[in-house]
Amino acid sequence: MTVDKGHTNTAFVADDGLNSKKAHHGTKNIANSFALEIQDKKPGLETDYNPYEHRHVEHPTTNNETLIHLLKGSLGTGILAMPNAFHHAGWLVGGVGTLLIGILCTYCIHLLIKAEFELCRRKRVPSLNYPAVTQTALLEGPEALKPLSGVIIHIINTFLLIYQLGTCCVYVVFVSSNIKAIADYYTENDTDVRIYMLIILLPLILINWVRNLKFLAPFSTLANFITLVSFGIILYYIFREPISFEGREAVGKVAEFPLFFGTVLFALEAIGVILPLENEMKTPKKFGGNFGVLNKAMLLIVTLYIGMGFFGYLNYGMDAKGSITLNLPEDEILAQCVKGMLAFAIYITHGLACYVAIDITWNDYMKKHIGDSPRATIYEYLVRTVLVLVTFLLAVAIPNLELFISLFGALCLSALGIAFPALIQTCTYWHETHGLAKAWMIVKNSVIGVIAVIGLVVGTSTSLKEIIQTFGDHE
């Protein structure tokens, strides 16, 4: 999981020394402490402004580096859950469904990137983060939606916060489950996975006390290498035995499709890192486009996910677990090494994933109330500890990897990855398009919005029902 490095507590900084205190349509600052101060539009002037030319990045990334970051952001615990996702959908529906969801997610990311460029051009700012793009778009859209601009940043931050904490819950379950798989074999005991969660709690707190991500960078590089090697070993186990379709369903149970949808969304979407990555590119124009970095990355990612899900399901069938590592042989040293290595790699990544949640909670909310208190550092460590404890307690309550993945995928990424980009495009071009073009835009984005809402409601409710049932079974 790659950290949303572009998330800050400011909406944007005005460029070229322009007076950012001019408010949109003469209104006062928006969203309380999230003051989005938008200057008046000057007809004709915005056409002379190219945001790409005004971005001053200290260490810009190349196209290949951005591609690698995108791959890192999407290749984690999600891909290890794909065989289980295909178990819910069937190998045929799983393959086609993953492809269609991948196309939809990629299209929505393109909508977001294009809208950001257009809004930056109009407002003469070099870049905008996700909350600011949404707020600015609402202010540019229909009059009926403008009152929502004051709260939309909090809504976006809430979804980002839930998603990142949910990801951390998945990591806690993943690490403890794989440690349990190793320990149980050698101790010949079936120890409750919660015991291992308790054992790793203090190390999780300590790694999240690291305030500067620079100190985690070497470990992150090591984790990426470990992950790559581990995937290779997992593929060895998948293809070690002849692949057979016998006993494998082409179409799964309709009632379990929402679990498939949520899992694939969780696996595919790296929406939190899209704008930061594009904003830090040396040639951001190469990010979009038919043969841009985004399409190349998503093509590789979707291919890898379909491959892992398809062949993993054909190999393990209905026994496919929330992480394919848990299906590996218990009596082979190589398989045990994979579990241990990935547990270590994901443990390190917990500090990166939780960083975004800490950034939102501390910088956007808590710090504003504490001010220049001499105990600010102590309070920050307290916030970091509490957030880790929240993810720990949730994981202890429902130690089920696949249900966590499906829940947070359906709940957060249906909104962040699909619904909001469609809304952003509609509002951004509301006054710019007319006639059939406008009608098509509204119909198209309404359909996308309906798909997102259905996925959110049905996927979340299905996952919650399964979680409640699982929780009842553990009582």
Side-chain angles (χ1 to χ4, degrees):
M1 177 64 64
T2 307
V3 174
D4 183 354
K5 295 178 288 184
H7 181 86
T8 61
N9 61 331
T10 54
F12 63 70
V13 180
D15 192 41
D16 287 350
L18 293 169
N19 184 8
S20 64
K21 294 186 180 299
K22 295 180 181 179
H24 182 76
H25 296 305
T27 58
K28 61 182 181 179
N29 292 348
I30 308 297
N32 301 324
S33 59
F34 296 96
L36 181 55
E37 300 172 336
I38 301 178
Q39 64 193 60
D40 292 325
K41 291 177 65 176
K42 300 176 182 179
L45 186 59
E46 68 272 11
T47 58
D48 299 327
Y49 187 88
N50 186 341
Y52 296 156
E53 297 175 355
H54 295 268
R55 291 180 183 174
H56 304 292
V57 182
E58 186 175 355
H59 301 291
T61 55
T62 64
N63 294 347
N64 288 335
E65 288 171 339
T66 304
L67 178 65
I68 292 171
H69 284 315
L70 258 181
L71 291 174
K72 283 198 304 181
S74 297
L75 298 178
T77 53
I79 190 172
L80 300 175
M82 287 304 295
N84 180 264
F86 272 58
H87 157 59
H88 292 303
W91 58 263
L92 178 60
V93 174
V96 175
T98 303
L99 177 61
L100 293 178
I101 294 173
I103 292 172
L104 177 61
C105 291
T106 305
Y107 177 72
C108 289
I109 293 173
H110 277 290
L111 295 183
L112 180 63
I113 292 296
K114 290 177 182 177
E116 185 221 10
F117 177 85
E118 176 63 19
L119 293 170
C120 287
R121 187 180 64 82
R122 293 181 193 174
K123 304 306 171 187
R124 300 179 64 79
V125 292
S127 64
L128 292 166
N129 61 25
Y130 197 143
V133 167
T134 312
Q135 185 182 55
T136 309
L138 288 182
L139 290 171
E140 293 285 296
E143 291 294 329
L145 294 180
K146 289 183 179 180
L148 296 177
S149 63
V151 298
I152 197 65
I153 281 183
H154 303 294
I155 294 173
I156 296 290
N157 277 342
T158 299
F159 276 114
L160 285 171
L161 187 61
I162 293 173
Y163 172 58
Q164 293 299 152
L165 290 178
T167 299
C168 292
C169 288
V170 170
Y171 288 177
V172 172
V173 178
F174 180 90
V175 173
S176 55
S177 296
N178 281 277
I179 293 176
K180 168 183 164 61
I182 299 172
D184 284 1
Y185 175 73
Y186 289 105
T187 61
E188 298 183 353
N189 292 319
D190 186 14
T191 308
D192 193 324
V193 69
R194 294 177 175 88
I195 300 298
Y196 295 102
M197 292 181 185
L198 187 61
I199 292 173
I200 67 172
L201 176 59
L202 181 59
L204 285 175
I205 291 174
L206 293 178
I207 199 170
N208 280 282
W209 276 8
V210 178
R211 300 173 68 194
N212 192 334
L213 289 184
K214 180 176 66 175
F215 298 124
L216 288 180
F219 297 101
S220 180
T221 302
L222 175 62
N224 291 330
F225 175 75
I226 289 173
T227 301
L228 186 63
V229 173
S230 299
F231 282 175
I233 298 173
I234 290 171
L235 291 176
Y236 158 73
Y237 278 106
I238 289 177
F239 292 107
R240 186 171 65 170
E241 301 295 334
I243 297 297
S244 172
F245 287 86
E246 184 178 355
R248 306 299 184 247
E249 299 290 338
V251 180
K253 298 177 182 178
V254 175
E256 296 183 2
F257 284 179
L259 298 175
F260 163 77
F261 178 79
T263 302
V264 175
L265 264 188
F266 181 93
L268 280 177
E269 279 285 14
I271 194 69
V273 304
I274 293 300
L275 291 182
L277 287 179
E278 190 261 0
N279 289 339
E280 293 185 5
M281 284 184 67
K282 184 177 182 180
T283 55
K285 189 182 296 185
K286 299 290 182 66
F287 188 81
N290 294 334
F291 301 99
V293 173
L294 176 61
N295 284 356
K296 291 177 182 177
M298 291 304 290
L299 179 62
L300 285 171
I301 290 167
V302 171
T303 301
L304 289 172
Y305 274 66
I306 292 176
M308 182 69 81
F310 181 79
F311 291 109
Y313 171 62
L314 291 184
N315 194 309
Y316 298 109
M318 62 184 300
D319 294 326
K321 297 182 179 180
S323 169
I324 195 173
T325 57
L326 302 178
N327 286 109
L328 300 182
E330 295 181 350
D331 57 348
E332 296 188 21
I333 294 295
L334 186 61
Q336 300 289 25
C337 288
V338 169
K339 296 173 186 176
M341 289 191 302
L342 281 175
F344 174 72
I346 295 301
Y347 161 71
I348 294 173
T349 312
H350 187 284
L352 300 175
C354 204
Y355 181 85
V356 179
I358 293 168
D359 184 43
I360 294 172
T361 305
W362 176 249
N363 289 323
D364 286 359
Y365 296 98
M366 300 296 297
K367 192 174 182 180
K368 296 178 182 300
H369 297 290
I370 293 174
D372 297 326
S373 170
R375 298 182 178 178
T377 302
I378 296 176
Y379 290 137
E380 181 182 349
Y381 280 113
L382 183 61
V383 167
R384 290 172 177 269
T385 304
V386 168
L387 289 177
V388 174
L389 287 174
V390 168
T391 65
F392 166 77
L393 292 174
L394 281 173
V396 166
I398 313 99
N400 191 304
L401 192 62
E402 59 264 32
L403 293 182
F404 262 131
I405 290 175
S406 179
L407 172 64
F408 293 112
L411 175 62
C412 300
L413 295 175
S414 291
L416 292 173
I418 300 176
F420 283 125
L423 174 65
I424 288 168
Q425 192 211 25
T426 302
C427 291
T428 299
Y429 296 98
W430 184 260
H431 298 294
E432 309 297 322
T433 57
H434 308 280
L436 289 176
K438 186 171 186 177
W440 165 246
M441 179 181 71
I442 294 173
V443 171
K444 170 182 63 73
N445 289 339
S446 296
V447 171
I448 293 175
V450 169
I451 293 173
V453 171
I454 292 175
L456 189 153
V457 174
V458 178
T460 301
S461 60
T462 302
S463 298
L464 286 175
K465 287 178 183 176
E466 294 288 335
I467 285 174
I468 292 171
Q469 182 179 344
T470 302
F471 183 78
D473 292 340
H474 280 283
E475 287 297 311

